[in-house]
Amino acid sequence: MTEAVARSVRQPSMADVARTAGVSAQTVSRALRDSPNVNPETRRRVLDAVDQLGYRLNNAARVLSSGRSFTIGLVLLQSGGYYSRSAVTAGVEAAAGHAGYAVNIATIAGLDTGLMERALSKLADQGVDGIIIAVPLISVTQKMEDITRDIPTVTLDGSRTAGARVLGIDQLEAGRLATQHLLDLGHRQVWHVSGPDEWIEARQRLQGWRECLAAAGIEAPPALEGDWSPDSGYRQGQIIAMIPDVTAVFAASDEMAFGIIRALRERGRSVPEDVSIVSVDDIALAAYCSPPLTTVRQDFYRSGQAAVELLLDPDGANASVVPASLSVRSSTAAPRSH
Amino acid sequence: MTEAVARSVRQPSMADVARTAGVSAQTVSRALRDSPNVNPETRRRVLDAVDQLGYRLNNAARVLSSGRSFTIGLVLLQSGGYYSRSAVTAGVEAAAGHAGYAVNIATIAGLDTGLMERALSKLADQGVDGIIIAVPLISVTQKMEDITRDIPTVTLDGSRTAGARVLGIDQLEAGRLATQHLLDLGHRQVWHVSGPDEWIEARQRLQGWRECLAAAGIEAPPALEGDWSPDSGYRQGQIIAMIPDVTAVFAASDEMAFGIIRALRERGRSVPEDVSIVSVDDIALAAYCSPPLTTVRQDFYRSGQAAVELLLDPDGANASVVPASLSVRSSTAAPRSH
DNA sequence: CGAGCCTATGTTATCGATGCCATGCGTAAC
DNA sequence: GTTACGCATGGCATCGATAACATAGGCTCG
């Protein structure tokens, strides 16, 4: 006797639900989207049918017919800043999910306009309703403008295209807070290990540092440049260790700060006794490595959330700023008196 | 004179391209998907028309008519392990993008079957072609089984449902490597601060530790349990610091290890002179904090890639393992001789 | 008590790409 | 010189939900 071949069963559609509930497909659609004009009794019947059939709304069909995808795209940089990337993602995902949106990720391998264009294209192809760019745009191309003109975009701490809104942590302020803290402790000079120049954050922190020193009438020493990684901090730290009079360093990220500290210690300079170090980020480990870092706290998770809110708010402001605050721990101290 | 109102222009469709290129829509579709039976000259005309119109394939329509979404879902846990989460995501995204797939993220706030079900439902609703679960499934519910039966699933280091393939770093081996390293240095006893018991990784590392000690004829001391965070490491470290004879500790994660080290130092126990510490992960900072950590390296990025490969390989194995290896640095040393 | 309106529901067209089948032409095979 | 087959292409139905419009009762108000 021939058995019916077990074939992959077709997923139930709205029409199936409608049939089971004894209503039209349109009514099912309305009931599922809590449209106001649906009889509670009818809605219940529909929901029962949904349960019974194990119905699942077909997203593609909804997107096609409604023109909205309920998905937002997130552009991230692959390398560097594991902590911040991860925290931003979590914040974005949480806020998006809360608003009924899914998140689609596009990672780019480096700061390159070509890669950036491809990432944006990919998201545009996916039909995202909005885009959050969490990497700095070094330069904005026509293609990027085209895409961000058609799709609402929020730039997190980056430069902007004509169409994009900008959300930023106040990096100028972060640089000032860090530098001022060192000056307040009595240091007469503050060195700086910056992030890569392509990054807006890096430039702004650098500028905050310069301005703060200028305001105190101090001429800024040359800035050293790292790439956010602990390893680059280590390399710049080796250089700093060769300069005799350094008593205070402002590092543009916690990870670099740890590298700097390691290099200084290996050369017999202790932190904070000989050299004070302050940085920016306040990653989870900042309080637990040795010494616990004095650092300017950035709330990445909150930034991610705020970016989504800014994106989805139809008449929101065009720019918004998340404040930064100083966490004082043990990597800074008054300079040793001679 | 009345100006035409600037209205949101309809995106060009395949039919528009077809008209411009002087062919049928079907041929456009074939040309764009490099179907073999298309005249090169025709293809060129089509591509020119695409360029000229700025045509962009409508993903929703493609998904609806083809039944495939070219999207894979990634389930992540929101808290803890920033580094690993981020690296896994990058690996998944890279491998997926390489194969022409987009990645859709679902973050869950905690290890809870309800949240897990909702995350899977959300991904299923989005019509993903496959799912990668990067959090341990504490217990598998019917609903979870249903979803993972319908959609190919790979579990990264987690327990498994009937339908899922499993990819894991060999955590048993990681636990053994770490413990054996301490025994080889001459330690007579090794304490352990584990991860939360719900995590398979945590259980396996713990088991590796127990087995290794057993093989050496040593009775394992009670394990202390943390939650992967530096803070939990710090708390367990305070307890360890009160026990006089401890000379070696195996921490289940780098972040906890840093917390433990901090607690020990605050109580006057130096690392590695008084107490040796080895952990698991090898995060970027492991080499740069003080002391540089001896740790079992896990290649999260590679794991993410491997998960995608396993997912997309139609006749791949049902399980696969990424090896772990020991990075020896300065947090471990031979015990002080009495 | 009839005009007008609000509520609950049904009907039909539509979104844009693809699967399947049909077609016409050139060429190799018998 | 048919038959048969491969290649390049077109036509049409279809995927599943939704927007826009249509309709049938019931209620309010002058």
Side-chain angles (χ1 to χ4, degrees), chain A residues 69-75 92-93 95-97 101-105 123 127-132 152 304 307-309 311-312, chain B residues 103-104:
Chain A
S69 72
F70 290 96
T71 296
I72 61 188
L74 175 61
V75 183
V92 166
E93 217 277 337
Y101 282 76
V103 177
N104 215 297
I105 295 213
L123 292 176
V128 297
D129 286 337
I131 296 179
I132 293 175
V308 173
E309 286 156 15
L311 187 67
L312 297 182
Chain B
V103 177
N104 214 298

Side-chain angles (χ1 to χ4, degrees), chain B residues 74-77 84-85 88 92 111 116 131-138 153-161 164-175 196-205 228 252 280-281 296-304 306-308 310 318-324:
Chain B
L74 175 60
V75 183
L76 294 169
L77 191 65
S84 60
R85 178 143 32 99
V88 166
V92 166
L111 288 176
M116 188 70 202
I131 295 179
I132 293 176
I133 300 179
V135 301
L137 305 171
I138 334 120
T153 303
V154 166
T155 313
L156 236 172
D157 264 337
S159 52
R160 55 179 300 175
T161 61
R165 293 170 173 182
V166 180
L167 175 77
I169 294 174
D170 192 343
Q171 302 296 354
L172 221 77
E173 179 63 13
D197 186 55
E198 305 97 74
W199 289 73
I200 312 287
E201 290 97 314
R203 278 193 228 161
Q204 291 182 340
R205 286 174 201 167
W228 303 127
V280 186
D281 279 352
V296 177
R297 183 177 164 73
Q298 314 233 53
D299 196 335
F300 295 108
Y301 183 86
R302 177 78 202 103
S303 302
V308 173
L310 191 58
N318 243 16
S320 166
V321 167
V322 178

Side-chain angles (χ1 to χ4, degrees), chain B residues 273-334:
Chain B
E273 293 79 4
D274 298 320
V275 182
S276 283
I277 304 221
V278 60
S279 58
V280 186
D281 279 352
D282 200 9
I283 64 176
L285 277 179
Y288 292 98
C289 286
S290 298
L293 275 185
T294 293
T295 181
V296 177
R297 183 177 164 73
Q298 314 233 53
D299 196 335
F300 295 108
Y301 183 86
R302 177 78 202 103
S303 302
Q305 284 185 310
V308 173
E309 285 156 16
L310 191 58
L311 186 67
L312 297 181
D313 183 3
D315 40 39
N318 243 16
S320 166
V321 167
V322 178
S325 64
L326 188 72
S327 291
V328 179
R329 301 209 182 88
S330 322
S331 65
T332 50

Side-chain angles (χ1 to χ4, degrees), chain A residues 14 26 29 33 55 58 62 65:
Chain A
M14 212 166 242
Q26 184 57 224
S29 172
R33 284 180 300 159
Y55 169 73
N58 182 316
R62 173 167 73 147
S65 73

Side-chain angles (χ1 to χ4, degrees), chain A residues 173 175-190 212-213 215-216 218 247-248 276 278 294 326 328 332-335:
Chain A
E173 179 63 14
R176 264 196 231 107
L177 273 175
T179 311
Q180 192 60 49
H181 169 66
L182 292 169
L183 294 181
D184 288 348
L185 284 171
H187 293 273
R188 315 296 299 270
Q189 180 58 287
V190 176
C212 184
L213 287 182
I218 299 171
T247 67
S276 284
V278 59
T294 294
L326 187 72
V328 180
T332 51

Side-chain angles (χ1 to χ4, degrees), chain B residues 60-232:
Chain B
R62 172 166 73 146
V63 172
L64 181 58
S65 75
S66 74
R68 324 223 308 114
S69 70
F70 291 96
T71 295
I72 61 186
L74 175 60
V75 183
L76 294 169
L77 191 65
Q78 191 178 108
S79 57
Y82 277 109
Y83 178 86
S84 60
R85 178 143 32 99
S86 181
V88 166
T89 308
V92 166
E93 216 277 337
H98 198 71
Y101 282 75
V103 177
N104 214 298
I105 296 213
T107 322
I108 60 181
L111 288 176
D112 172 279
T113 46
L115 294 172
M116 188 70 202
E117 284 179 357
R118 238 186 298 160
L120 288 176
S121 288
K122 183 185 136 183
L123 292 175
D125 283 347
Q126 295 283 322
V128 297
D129 285 339
I131 295 179
I132 293 176
I133 300 179
V135 301
L137 305 171
I138 334 120
S139 66
V140 176
T141 62
Q142 185 56 43
K143 194 166 178 186
M144 282 155 61
E145 288 280 9
D146 288 347
I147 293 175
T148 56
R149 194 188 343 276
D150 289 347
I151 305 174
T153 303
V154 166
T155 313
L156 236 172
D157 264 337
S159 52
R160 55 179 300 175
T161 61
R165 293 170 173 182
V166 180
L167 175 77
I169 294 174
D170 192 343
Q171 302 296 354
L172 221 77
E173 179 63 13
R176 265 196 230 106
L177 274 175
T179 311
Q180 191 61 49
H181 169 65
L182 293 168
L183 295 180
D184 288 348
L185 285 170
H187 294 273
R188 315 295 298 271
Q189 180 57 287
V190 177
W191 288 68
H192 180 45
V193 177
S194 74
D197 186 55
E198 305 97 74
W199 289 73
I200 312 287
E201 290 97 314
R203 278 193 228 161
Q204 291 182 340
R205 286 174 201 167
L206 181 103
Q207 197 190 334
W209 165 70
R210 284 223 176 96
E211 285 178 8
C212 185
L213 287 183
I218 300 171
E219 192 186 347
L224 299 162
E225 185 178 321
D227 65 6
W228 303 127
S229 73
D231 188 54
S232 71

